[in-house]
Amino acid sequence: MKSKFLKLVLPAFAILLAVGLAFATDEKPVVQQAHYLHPINGWQTVNVEDACFTGSNMACKYDIYQLYAEESESSQALYKN
């Protein structure tokens, strides 16, 4: 009796554990720093998602200000898809 119970419960428990752990992983976005030129306060730094450094379609902005990779308007302007 005990042997039949273990043969049934242990594989079921292993499957439930594997499925539960598969959903337990969480991919965290990489946060990077970008810069924008405020007309009064000068260059400001903000945290942005990694997508701003790899895209090409939509400009990454903070409020109405274009974000740049470095504190210079001649540096790379940031875009995301």
Side-chain angles (χ1 to χ4, degrees):
M1 179 73 180
K2 189 176 187 179
S3 158
K4 287 183 182 180
F5 178 74
L6 288 178
K7 286 182 183 179
L8 179 66
V9 172
L10 284 179
F13 180 71
I15 290 170
L16 287 174
L17 185 64
V19 169
L21 291 176
F23 291 106
T25 60
D26 186 22
E27 187 175 318
K28 295 182 181 180
V30 177
V31 178
Q32 297 188 13
Q33 290 187 336
H35 311 278
Y36 68 94
L37 182 59
H38 190 275
I40 296 172
N41 298 331
W43 285 102
Q44 302 293 312
T45 303
V46 294
N47 291 331
V48 296
E49 63 220 18
D50 192 39
C52 283
F53 285 87
T54 59
S56 61
N57 295 337
M58 203 166 86
C60 287
K61 293 188 175 191
Y62 181 79
D63 288 335
I64 61 169
Y65 307 110
Q66 172 66 47
L67 293 175
Y68 296 94
E70 299 294 328
E71 293 183 356
S72 169
E73 289 186 70
S74 62
S75 72
Q76 174 190 2
L78 300 180
Y79 292 91
K80 60 184 173 183
N81 290 332

